[in-house]
């Protein structure tokens, strides 16, 4: 929808009724077991109970703490957050939508940092190095040039005997748009 989104911003919430109840129960359980643990430790010091009773309550306390950590994690996972800052290009869900793990929810695009993947022939790939400077020319922008850097070189060729090379481009002006066609000129010495 074109709105700017900040990193970690909440984009959606999952139904949390049962997860929130589990979190509240885990908090109450830890509080109760913490009180029981203090009582049993005092009884053990006074010689009123066995070592096994003390060990049991200590184990129950550790379990209650880990149950609380798990419940907090499950509750925090009900908040769908942006993994990075960018533009919300598309929203796949609406209020009340049913989603499963792995379903796309949003397309967030960071046009400040772009990447271009080009295919380099097998007879030229040995000349390409990580960190190498690349000049990108875009036809849609009247031949304007942008600078990029080789960030990844594929190790497996395609059937056409070309290798994928990834180029990172800083797009401070935000003039580049996702999907634009360009030509990469490797600055080979």
């Amino acid at each position: 929808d074109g709105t700017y989104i900040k990193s970690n911003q909440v984009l959606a919430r999952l139904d949390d009724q049962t997860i929130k109840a589990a979190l509240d129960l885990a908090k109450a359980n830890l509080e109760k077991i913490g009180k029981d643990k203090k009582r049993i430790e005092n009884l053990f010091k006074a010689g009123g109970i066995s070592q096994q009773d003390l060990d049991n309550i200590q184990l129950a306390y550790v379990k209650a703490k880990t149950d609380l950590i798990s419940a907090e994690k499950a509750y925090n996972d009900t908040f769908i957050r942006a993994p990075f800052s960018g533009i919300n290009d598309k929203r796949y869900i609406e209020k009340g939508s049913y989603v499963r793990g792995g379903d796309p929810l949003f397309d967030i695009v960071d046009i400040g940092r772009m990447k271009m993947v080009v295919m380099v022939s097998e007879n030229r790939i040995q000349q390409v190095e990580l960190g190498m400077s690349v000049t990108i020319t875009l036809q849609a922008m009247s031949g304007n040039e942008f600078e990029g850097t080789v960030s990844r070189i594929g190790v497996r060729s395609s059937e056409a005997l070309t290798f994928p090379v990834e180029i990172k481009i800083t797009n401070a002006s935000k003039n580049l748009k996702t999907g634009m066609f360009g030509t990469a000129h490797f600055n080979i010495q």
Side-chain angles (χ1 to χ4, degrees):
D1 65 358
T3 47
Y4 180 76
I5 292 173
K6 293 181 182 174
S7 179
N8 209 32
Q9 179 178 333
V10 175
L11 303 176
R13 290 219 31 214
L14 301 177
D15 182 8
D16 67 353
Q17 187 174 2
T18 56
I19 293 172
K20 180 75 168 94
L23 175 61
D24 292 342
L25 179 62
K27 285 179 181 176
N29 191 41
L30 179 62
E31 186 177 326
K32 181 197 176 305
I33 290 178
K35 290 176 183 176
D36 290 348
K37 181 177 174 274
K38 285 184 181 179
R39 283 188 213 110
I40 288 177
E41 286 171 344
N42 288 337
L43 284 171
F44 179 75
K45 287 178 188 171
I49 60 167
S50 69
Q51 179 69 46
Q52 183 176 359
D53 290 333
L54 179 63
D55 292 345
N56 288 341
I57 194 67
Q58 288 173 336
L59 178 62
Y61 183 76
V62 169
K63 183 182 180 323
K65 280 176 66 174
T66 58
D67 288 348
L68 178 59
I69 290 168
S70 295
E72 287 172 338
K73 167 91 170 77
Y75 178 73
N76 288 335
D77 287 348
T78 66
F79 296 88
I80 307 301
R81 298 180 182 276
F84 54 85
S85 297
I87 305 295
N88 180 16
D89 190 50
K90 185 167 184 175
R91 179 185 192 104
Y92 294 96
I93 58 169
E94 297 298 327
K95 185 173 182 172
S97 294
Y98 176 78
V99 295
R100 295 179 306 240
D103 285 352
L105 306 177
F106 300 89
D107 280 343
I108 301 170
V109 180
D110 178 6
I111 62 171
R113 296 174 298 147
M114 306 282 282
K115 76 176 177 181
M116 177 182 201
V117 178
V118 298
M119 301 306 285
V120 177
S121 66
E122 69 176 341
N123 60 351
R124 297 287 211 145
I125 195 67
Q126 296 303 324
Q127 297 171 319
V128 177
E129 299 175 1
L130 287 175
M132 176 182 276
S133 177
V134 181
T135 303
I136 289 88
T137 306
L138 298 174
Q139 293 174 343
M141 299 183 69
S142 303
N144 282 1
E145 293 183 347
F146 293 85
E147 293 301 314
T149 306
V150 174
S151 60
R152 189 179 72 77
I153 302 170
V155 294
R156 182 185 304 174
S157 73
S158 67
E159 290 178 12
L161 300 178
T162 58
F163 292 83
V165 174
E166 189 173 289
I167 303 164
K168 292 208 179 201
I169 307 164
T170 300
N171 185 23
S173 66
K174 310 257 194 279
N175 289 333
L176 288 174
K177 305 294 181 214
T178 302
M180 285 183 154
F181 180 78
T183 304
H185 305 279
F186 291 85
N187 301 323
I188 297 172
Q189 306 299 337

